[in-house]
Amino acid sequence: MEKLRYKSRNATAASIKQGRLLKRIFPSIWSKQFCVLVSPKSLFCFRKQKDKSPEGIIQLDDCVILPCEYATNRPNVFKICHPKRKTVYFQATSKLEQLMWIKMLRSQIEGNNAPDLDLLDLDESESGTIHFSEAEELGKDWTDLGPFENITDKSIDPAQGDTKLRSSFSPIKLQLLYYQYKDPREKGIGPLGLERLSKALGVEPDDVSMILLSWHLGISNIGKLVGEEDFMREMCKLELDTIPAIKIRLEKLKTEFINSDTFFYQIYTFSFKYASEPESQVLDIGLAAILFSSLMSDKYETSKFCKYLEKQRSYHVIRFDQWLSFYDFFHHVAADLSNYNVEQSRWPIILDEYVAWIKQ
């Protein structure tokens, strides 16, 4: 690659992203580089951060940026491909950094009519030259993304709540979202990640919105991790890749949850196993009161019942059959208890005791 003098990065171009990468010089030799992405569409590679002249400059016109672990047997690798130039490989310091570099490089290219990745098949020869041909799918470089490679850009329906919010669905953005909330010590997004996600969404961790999101992601228990593959698959079905898009979708789901008795009951029954300990058949009474209030408060007047659960001392846990009876009680019995007959009651004792407590 031709060396070009570049006396002052800051004086001649705006830095969009910069950081340390490993660049492949030969198949088994990788060199430390300090890379600076600048506008318009140039990547400067320096041996050291303080160097004034780069070792090389990669012009990004007509380039394609792809993740590429399979060909190098190294993690966090991406490559810069061009129809007429040698492919250049870089290794980032982490998965998140790899995705950030891919996102920023692609944003520079796609802003200038770069080739549409959804219409290209990439066939890399031994010499490192990239050849483009029409195909139905991307090919081997996107195998990590499974069924998501052919998803086209879609806009959020204005009827969902915000006519100004437009979002082009992107698997790369979705992966970035996943690694933002993944627990670095675990193999997926766990309770701490969901708590941080709830904060970003502007809701409490026990809000019904988070229960709805967990249900969609297939998180059957609050302590269960959701891995990258499951997260990508389920979020891809919903075409969600940003926090604002998730907010809009959850608001729509919450409205459906309140208005549809069938969907409401489905989530209500799911929530018991979701909140209970793994393999447990009971739910702590305090947690049951909080969960019941979160689920039922927008549909029924339950404040007195939740207060009763917190004050009573006869029950420490709630069984699943009792949990279901709570829903049936508030679904069928009037708020003023006018259609409740204590002498013909077939409700569990805990509900009879609740009625007696109310009438005291």
Side-chain angles (χ1 to χ4, degrees), residues 16 74 207 290-291 303 324 352:
I16 297 170
R74 283 172 169 255
D207 188 85
I290 295 172
L291 183 62
S303 58
L324 295 182
D352 289 333

Side-chain angles (χ1 to χ4, degrees), residues 241-358:
D241 56 7
T242 64
I243 293 297
I246 294 174
K247 283 184 177 180
I248 289 178
R249 178 60 177 168
L250 288 181
E251 283 300 319
K252 184 178 180 181
L253 280 174
K254 194 170 182 179
T255 300
E256 182 184 351
F257 167 73
I258 295 171
N259 295 332
S260 169
D261 287 341
T262 302
F263 186 42
F264 186 96
Y265 188 74
Q266 184 180 8
I267 297 301
Y268 182 84
T269 55
F270 161 82
S271 66
F272 184 89
K273 291 293 184 183
Y274 174 73
S276 60
E277 294 290 332
E279 307 300 328
S280 176
Q281 303 299 316
V282 297
L283 190 61
D284 176 79
I285 191 72
L287 182 57
I290 295 172
L291 183 62
F292 190 79
S293 175
S294 177
L295 291 166
M296 303 286 279
S297 59
D298 289 330
K299 196 174 180 72
Y300 304 102
E301 171 50 51
T302 61
S303 58
K304 292 181 180 178
F305 181 66
C306 292
K307 185 177 180 180
Y308 164 73
L309 291 179
E310 293 172 353
K311 283 183 171 294
Q312 61 80 36
R313 293 293 179 266
S314 301
Y315 303 89
H316 302 288
V317 295
I318 296 297
R319 301 189 311 270
F320 184 59
D321 62 308
Q322 292 173 320
W323 179 254
L324 295 182
S325 71
F326 294 168
Y327 169 82
D328 291 336
F329 182 88
F330 282 90
H331 188 66
H332 293 99
V333 177
D336 60 0
L337 304 177
S338 57
N339 59 342
Y340 179 89
N341 189 327
V342 66
E343 295 180 356
Q344 299 179 359
S345 173
R346 295 183 179 180
W347 297 107
I349 295 176
I350 187 173
L351 289 171
D352 289 333
E353 292 175 348
Y354 161 66
V355 173
W357 180 78
I358 286 291

Side-chain angles (χ1 to χ4, degrees), residues 27 52 62 134 151 159 174 243 249 322 330 352 359:
K52 292 184 178 181
D62 299 324
E134 292 184 356
I151 291 178
L174 184 55
I243 293 297
R249 178 60 177 168
Q322 292 173 320
F330 282 90
D352 289 333
K359 292 182 176 180

Side-chain angles (χ1 to χ4, degrees), residues 31-63:
S31 172
K32 293 180 181 180
Q33 303 274 299
F34 185 80
C35 298
V36 181
L37 176 62
V38 298
S39 180
K41 297 187 294 183
S42 298
L43 182 66
F44 289 80
C45 300
F46 297 82
R47 183 178 292 275
K48 296 180 180 180
Q49 184 174 355
K50 295 181 180 180
D51 289 351
K52 292 184 178 181
S53 298
E55 282 198 322
I57 301 175
I58 300 175
Q59 301 296 340
L60 299 173
D61 294 277
D62 299 324
C63 286

Side-chain angles (χ1 to χ4, degrees), residues 97-116:
E97 271 296 294
Q98 177 207 33
L99 296 172
M100 285 295 295
W101 275 105
I102 292 174
K103 179 182 178 182
M104 300 308 294
L105 288 163
R106 283 169 56 95
S107 69
Q108 281 293 295
I109 297 167
E110 291 172 357
N112 292 275
N113 299 319
D116 185 353

Side-chain angles (χ1 to χ4, degrees), residues 173-225:
K173 286 198 294 183
L174 184 55
Q175 279 188 309
L176 284 169
L177 189 68
Y178 170 78
Y179 279 96
Q180 275 185 281
Y181 297 101
K182 174 184 175 295
D183 188 333
R185 297 183 180 180
E186 302 287 353
K187 295 182 179 180
I189 298 176
L192 292 178
L194 288 175
E195 185 176 343
R196 290 192 291 114
L197 182 57
S198 70
K199 185 177 181 180
L201 292 169
V203 298
E204 294 297 322
D206 58 1
D207 188 85
V208 68
S209 298
M210 296 306 296
I211 299 174
L212 291 168
L213 180 61
S214 297
W215 175 77
H216 260 298
L217 290 175
I219 305 176
S220 58
N221 186 270
I222 198 170
K224 181 183 175 182
L225 297 174

